[in-house]
Every structure is written in C-alpha cells, then in structure tokens.
Amino acid sequence: MDNNVEERLLTSEVENASLKERVWIESKKIWRVGFAGIIARVTQFGIIVVTQSFIGHINELDLAAYAIVQTIGVRFVNGILLGMASATETLCGQAFGAGQHHMMGIYLQRSWIVDFVTATILLPVFIFATPIFKLLGEEEDIATEAGHISLWFIPFIYNFVFGLTIQMYLQAQSKNMVIAWLSAFSFCFHVLLSWIFVSKLSLGIPGAMGALIISSWLVVIGEFVYILGGWCPLSWKGFTLAAFHDIFPVVKLSISSGIMLALELWYYAILVLVAGYVTDAEVAISAFSICLNINAWEFMIALGFLGASCVRVSNELGSGNAEAAKFSMKVTLVTSVSISLFFSILCLLFGRNLAYLFTSEDEVAAEVSSLSALLALTILFNGIQPVLTGIAIGAGLQTMVAYVNLFCYYVIGVPIGVLLGYVADLKVKGIWIGLICGVVAQTLVLGFLILRVDWNEQVKKASDRLNRWLLKPEEESNHSSNSA
C-alpha cells in the first residue's frame, strides 16, 4: 500500500478512535520508524564493541589505547557528524510531512557536502593523536599506542559522512528497514571476519581494525545501491547542482545540531579522559570504557526512539498537526522508559559477567562490577533524555538544546565528577556520579522547556522554513547535472 494512502487511512482512524486505539495506532507509527533504527544502531555500534572485545583479549595496553581513541577521538568526531546529520533528519522529516518529497534528495546531498568537509577538517584529531594525548596528560605508553591505533580510524570515520545522513533521509520516509538488514548482515560478517583475522590468522591490531573498516563500509555501499537503484523514486531525482543552492542556511542548522549532540557525546569522552589521571590508569580507563560501551550499546536503542520521536514530531509539524505531535511525544516517552527499565534491571543482575566479554583481567572485571549500580541508573535515564532530544530536533530547537547541554554537562556534571573523583577520593565512582548529575539536570531542564513549547508556533516555523528553502521541480532541473 502507498505510504500516503496508508497515512490518510491511519489519520481517519485516529479521529474516531478511543485513547487505547490511538496509543496502538501511534505505537505502530513509532515502531515502523524506531524498530529499524534500533536494529541499525545496535548492530552498527556493535561492530565497534566487537572490535574492542577482540582487542581486549590481545593485551591490556591495546585495550586501554583503543578505548581512549574510540571513546575520545571517535566520539569527538562522531558527535559532531551525528549532530550535523540531525539537520538532515529535521529537514527531510518536515519536507516529507509537507509532501515536498523531491527536496529530500537535495537536503541529503547538501548534508554530504557539509559533513565531508567537516570530517576532513577534523582529521588532525587522528593524525596527531599521540601528542594530543600526551599534552592532555595521559601515560606515555597509552598515548603512544593510541597514536598507532588512531590512524586506522581515519577510513572508518568517513563512513559516518554518508551512513548517518542516509539513515536519517530514509528514516524520514519510513524506508529505513533496508538499513536494519544491511547493518545486521554487516555485524554478523564483522564477527566472522574479526575471528578469522585476529583469532585464526593472529593479525593483531591490523586484523581487528581492518575488519572494522571493511564491515562499516559494507553498510554504506549497500545504502548507495538502494538509493541509486531506484527504490526512492519520489525523493531521489539524481545528483544535482541544486545541492549547492541555499547551502549556508543548512550549514547554520547543521552547526547548531552538531554542537547540540557533540556536547553530549564529548561529555562522556571527557570523563574517560579524567579517569586516565587516577591511580592505575590502565585499569580505570579500561573499566570505565567498558561500562560506557555497555551503556552506549543500550543507548543505541534509545537513539532509535530519538529518531522515531524526531521523525514523528517533524512529520506532524510539517503537515500542520500540533496535537498529533504532542501525543506522539507522550507515547514514545513511555515506550522508551519501559525498555530502559528492563535493561537497567539486567545490568544490576549480570554486571560482573558482562565485563568478561571485553577483558580477561580480573582486576578490570572487578572494577566494572563495582560500577554496575551506577551503570544501571545511567541506562534508566537513557530512556528519557534521548526522546526529549529527539522531540527538540523534530521541532528544530537544536540551538536551545545546545545551550542546555553546555550548562548541564560542563557547568554541573564535569565539576561534580572532578570534585567527587579527586577531592572526595571516590575515583571512577565519583566521576560517574558527576556524569549522572549532569544527565539528571539536562533531563529536568529539557522536560521543562518542552512543556512550555508553543506547538502551534512550531507548526508555523516549520512551514516558513520549508517554504523559504523550497525549490520547485522545474527550478531544481535548472540546477541539475546529469542524473545518477
């Protein structure tokens, strides 16, 4: 059934439905977007986690070096690119809701240009990783090994430029199930390839990182085949010079989005960096990064709901329905919190056992076990905060969220973590308590701000934005080069 026809039928159902039926209808819409996004994000991040697991069984130094590059360097760049790609999510979601399908492909190409240039500007983070980490005060051997590993991440980060933006483009039109299948296949392939390269051929770090690069780019190649192969006929009209038209407003929105999510992802990275200054840094960094990766893996589920809330809110705002946007927000929030509560309980029950998936060192596993209660609490908040962020993205409120993240994380969270970790001598536990304080503050402030949002005003702003950047099909053709 055509998506537009089905959408009209669902809208007709909602008008005459009871509350229970409305929740069921909205849940179907959320899961149509969210399920594929969850599978895609869990498996794509799983590739990074599997790589860490194989490296962790090589030796403790390599594990600490990989952890610090992945948690600080990769998270630094990914935070910017993911945030900038969320501008694609806002624009494509609102364009789809307004029926401006042909603009979606143009927005996608504009995001490729902006993100590719940004990724290239950020390359020094990996090229000069050793002196950067030494300057930040990390131990000599960890910084040196991190410099070797970081070079392997350069081809890996460029998959973010295309992978993140295409995922949001497809997600906005409920066509992201293909990404879920590609990601799931890539994850299984990566486990097999890593086992062959590391365990059987004993290729060590080159084998583990080579498998990471190959597996991550498989998804991007598959996505290009899907788009260029004609499976998005309404939204993809081929490569066009129209992508360079009105690019600076998109850059502005992308920068706001990039700052918003980057501040959030860097927050965790900075706390890992701080953990590197405690006694026995290798154990501290390894344990903290293992906990953060477990948290981040579950956070991929929350990001699925972030994407779902963003798409549903932006679609409804684009179609002029403020009440539907608010109702979707409530259903998504309840669903996400319920799932995070389930995983939080699992973490409390099996905290120590999870550590042995990433390390053979009893000392590291013991440290992970001691952090399991804090990890469980953090996972619980994963069910709330990302959904609120997704709602803000869908409404185009990235700049406001950036200010909230800056204040809550860096004025509240980091200072509390440093004080508890070093002054109160709670070490890694103190650092993590500071992390939670920042997340709690952010959740409360975002909740307060969203409650005060005038959704009818957001409908008007979405309409103004789309009309201002709209190119009619005949205008687009004047800017076009040969179609792909």
Side-chain angles (χ1 to χ4, degrees), residues 437-470:
C437 289
V439 173
V440 171
Q442 183 216 30
T443 301
L444 293 174
V445 175
L446 279 181
F448 175 76
L449 291 175
I450 288 172
L451 284 174
R452 293 176 59 85
V453 166
D454 184 338
W455 291 100
N456 291 315
E457 179 66 20
Q458 292 305 317
V459 167
K460 182 178 182 300
K461 288 182 179 179
S463 177
D464 291 344
R465 182 187 297 118
L466 291 171
N467 290 333
R468 185 168 65 252
W469 294 347
L470 173 64

Side-chain angles (χ1 to χ4, degrees), residues 143-213:
T144 301
E145 187 61 26
H148 298 148
I149 291 176
S150 68
L151 297 177
W152 286 96
F153 274 110
I154 292 176
F156 172 75
I157 63 166
Y158 276 100
N159 92 87
F160 293 148
V161 172
F162 303 101
L164 294 173
T165 49
I166 291 175
Q167 181 169 336
M168 293 175 182
Y169 159 80
L170 293 175
Q171 185 170 269
Q173 49 194 314
S174 300
K175 288 188 174 184
N176 59 335
M177 199 63 209
V178 63
I179 302 176
W181 289 113
L182 287 169
S183 301
F185 170 78
S186 179
F187 175 76
C188 295
F189 179 77
H190 179 64
V191 173
L192 176 63
L193 198 62
S194 297
W195 177 72
I196 293 172
F197 284 0
V198 179
S199 300
K200 290 300 179 183
L201 299 180
S202 300
L203 296 179
I205 295 296
M209 298 304 296
L212 175 70
I213 295 165

Side-chain angles (χ1 to χ4, degrees), residues 102-103 105-107 109-110 113 238-247 250 469 471-481:
H102 69 285
M103 287 300 299
I106 298 174
Y107 290 142
Q109 292 173 63
R110 287 174 183 169
I113 296 167
F239 292 103
T240 171
L241 292 176
F244 293 92
H245 184 73
D246 279 337
I247 198 168
V250 178
W469 294 347
L471 287 175
K472 295 179 181 178
E474 59 269 20
E475 293 179 83
E476 177 189 344
S477 64
N478 293 333
H479 294 281
S480 296
S481 57

Side-chain angles (χ1 to χ4, degrees), residues 58-337:
I58 296 174
N59 63 64
E60 193 173 314
L61 176 60
D62 285 331
L63 173 60
Y66 176 89
I68 201 168
V69 175
Q70 184 260 313
T71 311
I72 296 176
V74 176
R75 196 179 286 260
F76 175 83
V77 174
N78 177 253
I80 294 175
L81 296 180
L82 177 60
M84 297 183 79
S86 75
T88 311
E89 198 166 24
T90 300
L91 295 171
C92 286
Q94 292 180 356
F96 184 81
Q100 300 174 3
H101 297 155
H102 69 285
M103 287 300 299
M104 298 175 70
I106 298 174
Y107 290 142
L108 176 63
Q109 292 173 63
R110 287 174 183 169
S111 68
W112 287 343
I113 296 167
V114 173
D115 282 21
F116 186 87
V117 172
T118 303
T120 303
I121 292 172
L122 294 172
L123 281 184
V125 172
F126 299 93
I127 295 173
F128 303 108
T130 295
I132 288 173
F133 288 131
K134 285 181 179 178
L135 184 64
L136 292 172
E138 293 300 321
E139 292 185 359
E140 179 87 17
D141 52 349
I142 295 177
T144 301
E145 187 61 26
H148 298 148
I149 291 176
S150 68
L151 297 177
W152 286 96
F153 274 110
I154 292 176
F156 172 75
I157 63 166
Y158 276 100
N159 92 87
F160 293 148
V161 172
F162 303 101
L164 294 173
T165 49
I166 291 175
Q167 181 169 336
M168 293 175 182
Y169 159 80
L170 293 175
Q171 185 170 269
Q173 49 194 314
S174 300
K175 288 188 174 184
N176 59 335
M177 199 63 209
V178 63
I179 302 176
W181 289 113
L182 287 169
S183 301
F185 170 78
S186 179
F187 175 76
C188 295
F189 179 77
H190 179 64
V191 173
L192 176 63
L193 198 62
S194 297
W195 177 72
I196 293 172
F197 284 0
V198 179
S199 300
K200 290 300 179 183
L201 299 180
S202 300
L203 296 179
I205 295 296
M209 298 304 296
L212 175 70
I213 295 165
I214 294 169
S215 302
S216 62
W217 274 96
L218 276 180
V219 177
V220 176
I221 293 169
E223 289 169 346
F224 270 110
V225 170
Y226 182 80
I227 294 174
L228 303 183
W231 280 277
C232 298
L234 295 178
S235 58
W236 180 262
K237 303 297 183 181
F239 292 103
T240 171
L241 292 176
F244 293 92
H245 184 73
D246 279 337
I247 198 168
F248 289 108
V250 178
V251 171
K252 183 179 178 181
L253 182 61
S254 295
I255 291 173
S256 297
S257 303
I259 293 173
M260 179 195 68
L261 283 182
L263 288 173
E264 183 167 335
L265 293 177
W266 295 350
Y267 178 51
Y268 293 88
I270 287 173
L271 291 171
V272 171
L273 185 65
V274 172
Y277 302 140
V278 303
T279 307
D280 203 353
E282 284 186 17
V283 172
I285 291 174
S286 298
F288 201 21
S289 67
I290 286 171
C291 287
L292 285 183
N293 273 341
I294 293 171
N295 174 64
W297 210 353
E298 194 278 334
F299 190 68
M300 295 303 110
I301 299 175
L303 284 181
F305 285 107
L306 183 155
S309 61
C310 174
V311 169
R312 290 293 302 124
V313 169
S314 61
N315 283 173
E316 296 298 348
L317 292 180
S319 61
N321 196 338
E323 288 303 315
K326 289 192 287 185
F327 185 73
S328 176
M329 172 185 74
K330 296 172 185 176
V331 175
T332 308
L333 190 59
V334 171
T335 305
S336 180
V337 170

